[in-house]
């Protein structure tokens, strides 16, 4: 049954293909009336071709051999017809018969003298040759597509293996620290799925929850797009690393109010521009951490010196120095609200919601050429994360620090209100005008003239009252000023 | 109740469920590649069909493949039937039909520009 179907399809395709070729033939200048009588048709063609068009070439060989006729747009199937027409008493062919027996060398002369036209031997164009070689571009394209598909499968598998290797290495540590390891939010009960959520072919999520101090921890494995061939080629120019991003949401009572970041200089500069809280609270440029024993590659952004002193204890410094090549950025903040949002014009915004969070971004070693065993190198970094969570709970600012922090936050809020003040005023003004307009319309639409008059009077009275109130206020202010 | 280092830090009573982050603005911010490739694929396949240019149709097929490989969040489709996966697939279908149509109309091989 299937073979029959494929046979039908193939027939259809060939039918349409040959139909297309017939189209070409018919479109040409010498449009021949297509008769059932094949001979009549080709007789006419032969006469016309001999006398009129010099481009059409008729090369005839010995009668015993097969006559090969080469005409533009002609199929080889029609050869047979020509042969028949040739040998079946065509008056034109008789002179040829005489000359043919004279031998080969005379043939070109005689045929040329007969035709009075130069014979041009035309090369059969590539697109008429029925060989696979002429389709080399198509074959190239299909090979390219196949290569893309192969790369997709290989890349996807590699990413998935890396993710699994990471999870296997870290599973024990996570399970000993969190009740819920792995949740995709769909189950009715809060049970650990024990699996990563695959968001994409290159992004894997893991949600852990159920620990002291923190609400939860979201780990995101952001691998390179190994499934996309273009990306793979681009990466050959510019090596990039896989990244592991960890976001710990802290309870409100378990973290004091400060903003602090440590990381590579490039990463900190970028974060300072992008992140709302870092740009507002840490206005200085990233400072070197050499004072605390950090390597040169790392820099510090902090709200207050006291915070840096408190954060950079020996164990933290030990972590940072030993694994400096894998750390991209570490960001603790009580005012974290994500990257800066581009505000639309004329829309007064409230201050974005803030959450106390610890953010970590680590680079997987190997800078692109990672193997599953490289994931073990990241385990100490997870230890650092756990340590940081406990430390954030323990670390408290002293009185001075707290006052400074509160002042900073009040200042930021005030600035924000000032910026949006104009916009909020405009919004209020427009609302008032809308109300007035609605009232006027109501009055106009009122059909009863009596009612109309009464409403108008009521509106007038209201306006007068307002004016009076304003005047009273001004007077009061003047009196107070005096 | 204080916790010292020896005791278990886990607190089963403080478990919070995972909430997928609100994705209204995020998809646009993250990575525009699949959308661009989708659009390009549609344009090229239309060009290929209308102007009977074979290379346009092939480029459209490539674009739709790239768009599919870069497509985001395969989970959403099961729940929301959003347009994330629907458009790459439809682009693929359109581009393949463009290639097939241009070969049925004109079965000659492509000529290189050189």
């Amino acid at each position: 049954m299937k073979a029959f179907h494929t046979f039908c399809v193939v027939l259809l395709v060939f039918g349409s293909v040959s139909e297309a070729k017939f189209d070409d033939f018919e479109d040409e200048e010498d449009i021949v009336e297509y008769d059932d009588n094949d001979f009549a048709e080709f007789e006419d063609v032969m006469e016309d071709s001999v006398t009129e068009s010099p481009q059409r070439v008729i090369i005839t060989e010995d009668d015993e051999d097969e006559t090969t006729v080469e005409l533009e747009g002609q199929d080889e199937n029609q050869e047979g017809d020509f042969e028949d027409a040739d040998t079946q008493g065509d008056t034109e062919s008789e002179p040829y018969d005489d000359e043919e027996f004279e031998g080969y060398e005379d043939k070109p002369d005689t045929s040329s003298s007969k035709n009075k036209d130069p014979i041009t031997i035309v090369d059969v164009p590539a697109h008429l040759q029925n060989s696979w070689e002429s389709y080399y571009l198509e074959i190239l394209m299909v090979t390219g597509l196949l290569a893309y598909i192969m790369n997709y499968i290989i890349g996807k598998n590699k990413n998935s293996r890396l993710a699994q290797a990471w999870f296997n290495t870290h599973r024990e540590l996570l399970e000993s620290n969190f009740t819920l390891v792995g949740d995709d939010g769909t189950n009715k009960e809060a049970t650990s799925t024990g699996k990563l959520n695959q968001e994409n072919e290159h992004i894997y999520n893991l949600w852990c929850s159920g620990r002291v101090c923190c609400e939860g921890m979201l780990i995101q494995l952001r691998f390179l797009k190994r499934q996309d061939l273009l990306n793979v080629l681009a990466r050959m120019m510019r090596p990039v690393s896989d990244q592991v991003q960890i976001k710990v949401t802290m309870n409100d009572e378990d973290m004091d109010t400060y903003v602090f970041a440590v990381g590579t200089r490039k990463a900190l500069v970028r974060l300072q521009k992008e992140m709302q809280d870092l740009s507002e609270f840490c206005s200085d440029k990233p400072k070197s951490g050499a004072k605390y024993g950090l390597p040169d590659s790392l820099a510090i952004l902090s709200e207050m010196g006291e915070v840096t002193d408190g954060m950079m204890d020996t164990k933290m410094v030990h972590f940072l120095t030993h694994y400096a090549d894998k750390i991209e950025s570490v960001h603790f903040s009580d005012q974290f609200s994500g990257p800066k949002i581009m505000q639309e014009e004329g829309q007064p915004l409230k201050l974005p919601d803030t959450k106390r969070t610890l953010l970590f971004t680590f680079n997987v070693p190997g800078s692109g050429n990672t193997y599953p065993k490289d994931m073990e190198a990241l385990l100490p970094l997870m230890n650092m994360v756990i340590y940081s969570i406990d430390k954030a709970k323990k670390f408290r600012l002293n009185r001075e620090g707290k006052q400074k922090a509160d002042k900073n936050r009040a200042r930021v809020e005030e600035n924000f209100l000032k910026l949006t003040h104009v916009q909020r005023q405009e919004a209020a003004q427009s609302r008032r005008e809308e109300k007035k307009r609605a009232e006027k319309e109501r009055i106009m639409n009122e059909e009863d003239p009596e009612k109309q008059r009464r409403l108008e009077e009521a509106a007038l009275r209201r306006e007068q009252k307002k004016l009076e109130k304003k005047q009273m206020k001004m007077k009061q202010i003047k009196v107070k000023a005096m | 109740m204080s916790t010292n280092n020896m005791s278990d830090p886990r607190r089963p009573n403080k478990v919070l469920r995972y909430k997928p982050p609100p994705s209204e603005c995020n998809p646009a911010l993250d990575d525009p590649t699949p959308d661009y490739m989708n659009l390009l694929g549609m344009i090229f396949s239309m060009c290929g069909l209308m102007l009977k240019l074979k290379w346009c149709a092939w480029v459209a097929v490539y674009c739709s493949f790239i768009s599919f490989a870069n497509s985001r969040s395969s989970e959403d489709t099961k729940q929301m039937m959003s347009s994330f996966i629907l458009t790459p697939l439809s682009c693929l279908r359109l581009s393949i039909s463009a290639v097939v149509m241009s070969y049925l109309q004109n079965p000659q091989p492509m000529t290189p520009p050189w």
Side-chain angles (χ1 to χ4, degrees):
Chain A
M1 200 55 184
K2 266 191 187 173
F4 179 70
H5 273 293
T6 48
F7 182 63
C8 281
V9 169
V10 166
L11 266 183
L12 270 172
V13 172
F14 270 121
S16 56
V17 163
S18 49
E19 223 185 285
K21 286 201 172 165
F22 268 114
D23 287 344
D24 286 344
F25 175 52
E26 282 173 7
D27 282 343
E28 295 192 0
E29 287 176 47
D30 298 322
I31 294 176
V32 176
E33 275 184 47
Y34 197 69
D35 237 355
D36 277 341
N37 185 0
D38 284 357
F39 304 133
E41 178 212 349
F42 293 125
E43 267 185 329
D44 288 342
V45 168
M46 269 189 70
E47 286 183 52
D48 289 344
S49 61
V50 163
T51 51
E52 287 178 4
S53 59
Q55 289 145 348
R56 289 194 178 206
V57 176
I58 305 174
I59 300 172
T60 55
E61 293 178 30
D62 286 340
D63 266 339
E64 289 104 66
D65 299 339
E66 261 191 282
T67 49
T68 53
V69 177
E70 294 187 278
L71 276 176
E72 286 179 3
Q74 280 286 333
D75 204 343
E76 284 190 24
N77 294 336
Q78 299 168 22
E79 248 184 84
D81 294 334
F82 268 89
E83 198 182 353
D84 290 344
D86 223 352
T87 53
Q88 289 234 352
D90 189 4
T91 49
E92 286 280 328
S93 67
E94 270 171 36
Y96 288 105
D97 284 331
D98 287 334
E99 264 109 20
E100 266 171 28
F101 290 117
E102 284 178 25
Y104 269 109
E105 51 277 13
D106 290 333
K107 236 203 329 182
D109 299 332
T110 50
S111 39
S112 63
S113 62
K114 185 72 195 159
N115 283 341
K116 289 186 198 166
D117 294 322
I119 294 180
T120 49
I121 299 175
V122 182
D123 264 334
V124 177
H127 60 275
L128 290 178
Q129 297 168 6
N130 277 339
S131 69
W132 288 114
E133 286 171 3
S134 53
Y135 285 89
Y136 70 96
L137 269 178
E138 277 77 10
I139 294 175
L140 259 176
M141 289 292 192
V142 172
T143 327
L145 277 179
L146 283 176
Y148 194 89
I149 296 174
M150 291 285 295
N151 175 266
Y152 178 82
I153 296 174
I154 293 173
K156 194 165 84 131
N157 283 339
K158 173 135 196 211
N159 276 348
S160 141
R161 267 185 298 138
L162 285 174
Q164 210 47 48
W166 181 92
F167 190 51
N168 290 338
T169 337
H170 289 73
R171 183 198 287 263
E172 230 182 275
L173 179 62
L174 289 173
E175 280 180 354
S176 65
N177 269 296
F178 292 92
T179 326
L180 178 70
V181 174
D183 182 21
D184 55 3
T186 50
N187 298 343
K188 282 215 191 115
E189 297 170 4
T191 45
S192 295
T193 59
K195 279 191 300 176
L196 298 163
N197 290 346
Q198 182 177 5
E199 200 180 293
N200 229 330
E201 264 80 17
H202 61 284
I203 296 182
Y204 291 82
N205 284 339
L206 183 70
W207 170 256
C208 306
S209 182
R211 191 186 194 275
V212 291
C213 323
C214 62
E215 284 180 4
M217 175 164 84
L218 180 65
I219 306 176
Q220 200 174 59
L221 303 174
R222 299 184 75 96
F223 293 122
L224 303 168
K225 286 191 186 174
R226 292 188 174 83
Q227 77 271 12
D228 180 20
L229 190 59
L230 279 188
N231 221 291
V232 169
L233 295 172
R235 259 191 302 124
M236 290 187 182
M237 316 286 171
R238 204 168 44 101
V240 188
S241 292
D242 302 304
Q243 279 190 344
V244 178
Q245 286 183 352
I246 302 177
K247 179 169 158 181
V248 183
T249 336
M250 302 289 284
N251 292 328
D252 284 343
E253 63 273 10
D254 286 323
M255 182 170 161
D256 214 347
T257 55
Y258 50 87
V259 176
F260 171 75
V262 131
T264 59
R265 215 166 270 275
K266 229 169 80 171
L268 284 185
V269 166
R270 189 175 41 90
L271 279 178
Q272 199 175 23
K273 265 194 285 197
E274 281 178 13
M275 292 294 167
Q276 178 92 6
D277 51 347
L278 281 177
S279 60
E280 282 174 358
F281 291 95
C282 305
S283 43
D284 304 330
K285 281 209 293 241
K287 284 191 272 231
S288 156
K291 192 166 76 160
Y292 304 97
L294 291 180
D296 283 335
S297 56
L298 296 177
I300 300 178
L301 262 183
S302 172
E303 191 184 353
M304 289 176 272
E306 191 201 329
V307 174
T308 325
D309 290 332
M311 276 290 138
M312 292 287 125
D313 60 349
T314 41
K315 198 149 181 208
M316 190 64 114
V317 171
H318 172 261
F319 272 125
L320 289 172
T321 41
H322 264 80
Y323 308 108
D325 55 337
K326 301 188 188 70
I327 294 176
E328 167 107 355
S329 72
V330 173
H331 177 192
F332 302 161
S333 167
D334 73 308
Q335 297 276 317
F336 180 72
S337 59
K340 284 195 204 173
I341 319 167
M342 292 299 124
Q343 298 177 7
E344 294 171 8
E345 292 294 346
Q347 264 208 6
L349 285 177
K350 292 186 294 169
L351 270 175
D353 290 330
T354 58
K355 259 218 143 314
R356 294 166 196 255
T357 40
L358 314 178
L359 296 144
F360 303 83
T361 310
F362 301 131
N363 293 329
V364 176
S367 85
N369 297 329
T370 37
Y371 295 98
K373 59 177 162 51
D374 290 332
M375 293 302 173
E376 290 164 19
L378 292 174
L379 194 55
L381 291 170
M382 190 55 76
N383 282 327
M384 178 173 118
V385 171
I386 305 286
Y387 174 74
S388 308
I389 297 176
D390 292 327
K391 183 165 177 60
K393 178 177 165 69
K394 280 186 277 182
F395 178 71
R396 297 282 172 214
L397 295 165
N398 60 14
R399 204 155 40 111
E400 257 183 46
K402 195 88 179 75
Q403 278 178 353
K404 257 203 261 177
D406 289 337
K407 246 199 302 182
N408 278 339
R409 276 147 190 74
R411 172 180 52 91
V412 166
E413 206 177 318
E414 221 186 283
N415 284 342
F416 179 78
L417 285 175
K418 266 197 231 166
L419 272 176
T420 56
H421 180 70
V422 175
Q423 286 166 331
R424 274 185 293 136
Q425 247 190 352
E426 283 178 9
Q429 180 80 357
S430 58
R431 256 181 282 141
R432 258 179 274 143
E433 281 182 14
E434 275 289 325
K435 262 199 231 163
K436 266 197 215 163
R437 228 181 301 143
E439 272 249 23
K440 280 202 186 131
E441 275 216 34
R442 223 168 21 103
I443 293 174
M444 298 296 277
N445 291 340
E446 209 52 62
E447 303 215 328
D448 198 354
E450 273 286 326
K451 264 198 182 174
Q452 218 180 33
R453 226 188 323 127
R454 250 184 284 152
L455 280 169
E456 272 186 40
E457 280 177 13
L460 263 171
R461 254 180 280 143
R462 252 178 276 148
E463 287 272 341
Q464 278 194 350
K465 268 197 206 165
K466 269 196 203 159
L467 273 169
E468 279 177 19
K469 265 198 205 165
K470 265 194 190 168
Q471 282 173 356
M472 291 289 289
K473 269 195 192 163
M474 295 299 285
K475 279 189 190 164
Q476 279 179 0
I477 291 171
K478 278 189 189 161
V479 166
K480 276 191 188 167
M482 283 202 302
Chain B
M1 201 162 81
S2 60
T3 47
N4 57 16
N5 287 336
M6 306 309 278
S7 72
D8 194 6
R10 294 181 283 181
R11 293 289 175 270
N13 55 337
K14 289 198 184 159
V15 163
L16 261 181
R17 295 306 304 279
Y18 171 61
K19 263 184 308 223
S23 56
E24 314 112 11
C25 61
N26 278 348
L29 290 175
D30 279 342
D31 179 24
T33 307
D35 298 327
Y36 282 154
M37 284 298 147
N38 228 358
L39 186 63
L40 272 181
M42 295 283 191
I43 293 176
F44 273 117
S45 58
M46 280 294 137
C47 276
L49 271 174
M50 299 297 162
L51 308 174
K52 301 212 177 92
L53 297 170
K54 292 203 179 80
W55 60 269
C56 273
W58 281 110
V59 171
V61 174
Y62 271 96
C63 282
S64 67
F65 265 78
I66 295 172
S67 163
F68 180 75
N70 280 310
S71 63
R72 298 177 280 257
S73 58
S74 52
E75 262 194 59
D76 282 334
T77 54
K78 294 174 203 152
Q79 297 166 9
M80 292 194 310
M81 279 306 275
S82 61
S83 64
F84 293 140
I85 273 261
L86 288 179
T87 5
L89 273 181
S90 63
C91 188
L92 185 67
R93 261 184 269 147
L94 190 61
S95 52
I96 289 184
S97 69
V99 169
V100 168
M101 286 307 293
S102 46
Y103 274 95
L104 283 181
Q105 288 168 359
N106 191 10
Q108 298 155 4
M110 278 198 293
T111 50
W114 52 85

